Amino acid sequence: MGASSIQARSSNMKRATIAAVWFIALAMFSRVGIARAQAFIDGSFGTETEEDHLAKEVEDPTAILTQLKFQDLYTPGNFQTKAETNTIQLRPVLPVTTFALLPFKQIIRPTFEVDTLATSSGASTITEFADMQLFDLFLSNWPDPSQTGFGWGLGPTFVFPTGRDPKAGKHSWQAGPAAAAAYRGIPHLMMGFLFQNPISFAYTDSSAKPQSQMEFQPLLTYTLGRGWYVKSADSTWTVNWRRGTSTTIPISLGFGRVWKLPGPELDTWVSGEWTTYQQYTDITPMYTVRFGITLLFPRLLL
């Protein structure tokens, strides 16, 4: 098969993917409009169902909600390469209740990733297990979130050097501060942020470079009734503090629905992301489509 045929096939795949995403978006937004209109007719738009309550909590980093998140990040367009990349991510969210020696609730969240990465300016890729990340937030008892709608927490964040290839991992042990806050006192609205800044302190390879990267994730969710919601909560702004290292600022917009089922509740969503600013970057996502499924266990607490 010639180079022109491969390029044409790749272009057709991109167009087909984008067309499929737009079709899904149109169908889901139509369903959202019908659900919202029906809520007005039923007189239930001003009230929050259990699904709406969970929809505000799924993106809240301070929410006491056990979750098992699966998401796929497909990037058909990257800066400085023709390759299409992908990330498969597994992220449990594990709330821990208070006990005698520690009167604070905790949120423990590990992240496991398998990345398909570009290796050059061409279309070649590799698939590798990425570095594992984990944070442990200790939630403040003041002010009372059930009374004020405001919650916040502090704790450590860690990066473990599980990625073998330099493109998938930094070959360094990292630790640093983490902080999160969220406000859910306005009906239908959740707004907040998650901040992390892991810093390297030990290395598994002599060629590894020191790391210090701020990761700031703005979070915004608005429920539409019957479990439907829109959000801008998937993008993470990154600033590497060392001179000449990268900065990226993406933005995202998505929508989804929480489904009430006999077993665990189910959250399904799709979002798009676009990198609006980049500096000193190598191969970087230009635009990404995310698909996610989350199992929710609102009555399970460690």
Side-chain angles (χ1 to χ4, degrees):
M1 185 179 293
S4 59
S5 298
I6 294 174
Q7 187 175 6
R9 184 176 179 183
S10 176
S11 178
N12 290 337
M13 288 178 64
K14 289 180 182 180
R15 286 196 293 267
T17 301
I18 294 171
V21 170
W22 277 111
F23 178 79
I24 294 170
L26 180 61
M28 292 191 72
F29 271 120
S30 299
R31 182 65 182 87
V32 168
I34 294 170
R36 189 170 183 178
Q38 187 62 44
F40 274 112
I41 294 171
D42 296 342
S44 60
F45 182 73
T47 62
E48 284 192 350
T49 63
E50 181 182 354
E51 294 95 319
D52 295 332
H53 180 74
L54 290 173
K56 290 172 65 175
E57 289 190 329
V58 290
E59 300 295 344
D60 181 354
T62 68
I64 303 299
L65 176 62
T66 302
Q67 305 178 55
L68 185 60
K69 298 186 174 186
F70 302 89
Q71 67 170 316
D72 184 86
L73 292 73
Y74 170 56
T75 305
N78 288 278
F79 294 103
Q80 302 187 33
T81 183
K82 297 178 182 178
E84 300 176 6
T85 57
N86 195 78
T87 296
I88 297 173
Q89 188 182 88
L90 172 64
R91 178 176 283 169
V93 179
L94 307 170
V96 180
T97 190
T98 59
F99 55 94
L101 298 178
L102 191 64
F104 298 100
K105 293 180 180 178
Q106 299 177 67
I107 303 291
I108 300 174
R109 195 189 78 178
T111 299
F112 308 92
E113 288 185 358
V114 176
D115 295 339
T116 298
L117 303 163
T119 59
S120 65
S121 59
S124 60
T125 60
I126 59 171
T127 299
E128 293 284 343
F129 193 78
D131 284 348
M132 173 192 167
Q133 189 167 4
L134 179 145
F135 71 69
D136 184 0
L137 287 179
F138 296 85
L139 303 182
S140 174
N141 297 322
W142 181 89
D144 185 355
S146 63
Q147 300 295 323
T148 63
F150 177 74
W152 64 280
L154 300 171
T157 184
F158 305 95
V159 176
F160 304 98
T162 52
R164 297 181 304 172
D165 190 277
K167 294 183 179 299
K170 302 301 183 182
H171 296 298
S172 62
W173 296 85
Q174 302 175 51
Y183 181 66
R184 290 188 276 136
I186 301 174
H188 305 286
L189 181 67
M190 188 285 296
M191 49 187 174
F193 71 86
L194 173 63
F195 164 87
Q196 300 179 79
N197 198 141
I199 303 168
S200 59
F201 62 90
Y203 306 92
T204 60
D205 191 290
S206 59
S207 63
K209 297 179 180 179
Q211 302 293 318
S212 179
Q213 178 176 269
M214 183 197 75
E215 302 172 2
F216 181 81
Q217 184 178 359
L219 305 165
L220 186 67
T221 301
Y222 189 82
T223 62
L224 301 168
R226 296 178 179 266
W228 289 94
Y229 62 90
V230 293
K231 67 172 181 174
S232 179
D234 295 318
S235 294
T236 299
W237 305 347
T238 62
V239 178
N240 285 277
W241 296 117
R242 298 187 179 276
R243 185 176 181 180
T245 53
S246 64
T247 296
T248 58
I249 301 179
I251 58 172
S252 68
L253 181 64
F255 50 89
R257 186 185 183 186
V258 173
W259 307 80
K260 188 173 177 60
L261 301 174
E265 320 279 344
L266 185 66
D267 173 37
T268 57
W269 54 270
V270 61
S271 70
E273 181 179 77
W274 174 50
T275 299
T276 59
Y277 176 81
Q278 55 157 338
Q279 185 181 43
Y280 302 124
T281 58
D282 191 7
I283 296 174
T284 306
M286 185 185 307
Y287 49 90
T288 299
V289 182
R290 298 171 182 247
F291 305 91
I293 297 176
T294 304
L295 299 177
L296 309 175
F297 306 88
R299 297 164 188 83
L300 178 61
L301 186 65
L302 300 180

